Amino acid sequence: MPSNSAAQASLPRHVAIIMDGNGRWARKRGLPRSAGHVAGVESVREVVRTAVHIGLANLTLYAFSTENWKRPLIEVNHLMALFRGYFRKDVRELRDMNVRMRIIGNRARAANDILSMIEEGESLTADNTGLNLAFAFDYGAQEEIVAAARKFAEAVKQGKMEPDSITVESFSQQLQTDGMPDPDFVIRTSGERRISNFLLFQSAYSEFLFIETMWPDFGRAEFLAALEHFAGRERRFGSVATEAVA
Ligand code: FPP
């Protein structure tokens, strides 16, 4: 339950997180990178539970990018094993927390069993009305935008629509985040200051927070502190501050 309505009023409608720093977290402890990813799953759990607890409406977590396939096979396989474990075990908890989960990304390259688990998770939670939780899995924003552009090109070619009728709104509806508001807050952990092909179209007016904390150290307290930081930001969407208008 949200702790108070004032805090909820300043909550972003959609938080998107680039979960970075698992490898460095592990290295600092003399552990293999895989241990960082294992610890990273615990942060996923804690952040999702916190999002539910405070009444956040939408949360997107960048779990695996289209570029992450280039990592050593052993690491890719380990990450896939973690996704299997998560989708197998945690989906019931998501259902019980009234979370509606979905995957955004390219489903064509996922292993069949992972794809089935994803589809089961989506249908098991489809009627839930609480947090909308999107995992960006084999996701790349450029690929997503190109796919939407292709759909429009095809429709125009077939004479089903005029190029002029393509708008920001209709374009957004062809993106995989359709139905979620654009993220108003994007957080990246681990000190890197890049967007790494994440929600490029949708983050046009997002506030960004780049923090030094490594993802496995990002838990409830860090998430709440980040949200407090967001509440203090002034958002202008290309305009000027209200008090500056004479
Ligand atoms: C970045 O750390 C993290 C990833 C590429 C994968 C994110 C995956 C998880 C948090 C765990 C699994 C998630 C779910 C949803 C079950 P990095 O390896 O790039 O770290 P580094 O930059 O320090 O090397």
Side-chain angles (χ1 to χ4, degrees):
M1 286 294 112
S3 47
N4 69 59
S5 55
Q8 219 198 1
S10 55
L11 269 185
R13 291 198 304 158
H14 182 176
V15 180
I17 308 182
I18 303 176
M19 310 182 287
D20 195 12
N22 294 348
R24 277 163 285 164
W25 179 92
R27 190 166 312 151
K28 262 195 238 156
R29 287 161 178 75
L31 299 167
R33 293 176 58 79
S34 56
H37 295 314
V38 170
V41 179
E42 285 310 314
S43 293
V44 169
R45 294 192 172 109
E46 200 168 323
V47 164
V48 170
R49 286 172 191 149
T50 303
V52 169
H53 185 74
I54 63 174
L56 189 71
N58 298 278
L59 176 67
T60 299
L61 299 176
Y62 204 0
F64 194 82
S65 75
T66 50
E67 290 74 27
N68 285 155
W69 293 111
K70 294 183 203 145
R71 293 189 175 208
L73 186 61
I74 189 162
E75 181 166 348
V76 171
N77 286 343
H78 182 254
L79 279 166
M80 293 302 148
L82 289 179
F83 296 134
R84 279 190 181 88
Y86 183 86
F87 292 131
R88 188 178 299 128
K89 279 192 254 141
D90 289 59
V91 161
R92 274 178 212 87
E93 184 188 349
L94 296 181
R95 180 197 57 195
D96 296 344
M97 290 192 297
N98 197 22
V99 173
R100 185 159 166 244
M101 72 151 262
R102 74 160 96 167
I103 294 294
I104 58 169
N106 184 342
R107 297 179 185 222
R109 294 179 286 236
N112 285 339
D113 66 321
I114 295 187
L115 195 57
S116 306
M117 286 177 205
I118 287 171
E119 287 168 355
E120 266 171 48
E122 287 175 333
S123 66
L124 195 70
T125 62
D127 295 329
N128 280 349
T129 54
L131 174 71
N132 275 313
L133 173 64
F135 290 106
F137 177 79
D138 197 3
Y139 174 84
Q142 290 178 332
E143 206 173 82
E144 179 190 36
I145 292 168
V146 168
R150 278 204 192 109
K151 272 193 199 158
F152 281 116
E154 195 57 42
V156 169
K157 189 173 146 195
Q158 292 176 6
K160 290 182 184 157
M161 68 184 298
E162 292 295 322
D164 281 355
S165 65
I166 304 170
T167 62
V168 170
E169 286 71 30
S170 66
F171 201 91
S172 295
Q173 286 162 4
Q174 291 304 325
L175 301 176
Q176 298 185 9
T177 43
D178 181 35
M180 291 172 110
D182 286 343
D184 23 24
F185 193 30
V186 178
I187 302 168
R188 182 172 189 143
T189 56
S190 92
E192 302 294 345
R193 289 161 187 254
R194 289 189 296 275
I195 187 143
S196 300
N197 206 10
F198 187 47
L199 303 178
L200 294 181
F201 191 91
Q202 299 89 332
S203 64
Y205 284 102
S206 303
E207 295 291 326
F208 284 84
L209 178 67
F210 298 101
I211 50 169
E212 299 300 317
T213 312
M214 299 292 152
W215 177 249
D217 288 330
F218 191 89
R220 180 183 172 84
E222 291 71 20
F223 191 26
L224 293 178
L227 292 170
E228 215 164 285
H229 182 91
F230 174 85
R233 295 248 183 127
E234 181 195 8
R235 306 192 69 214
R236 296 203 295 266
F237 300 97
S239 178
V240 291
T242 332
E243 57 272 25
V245 180

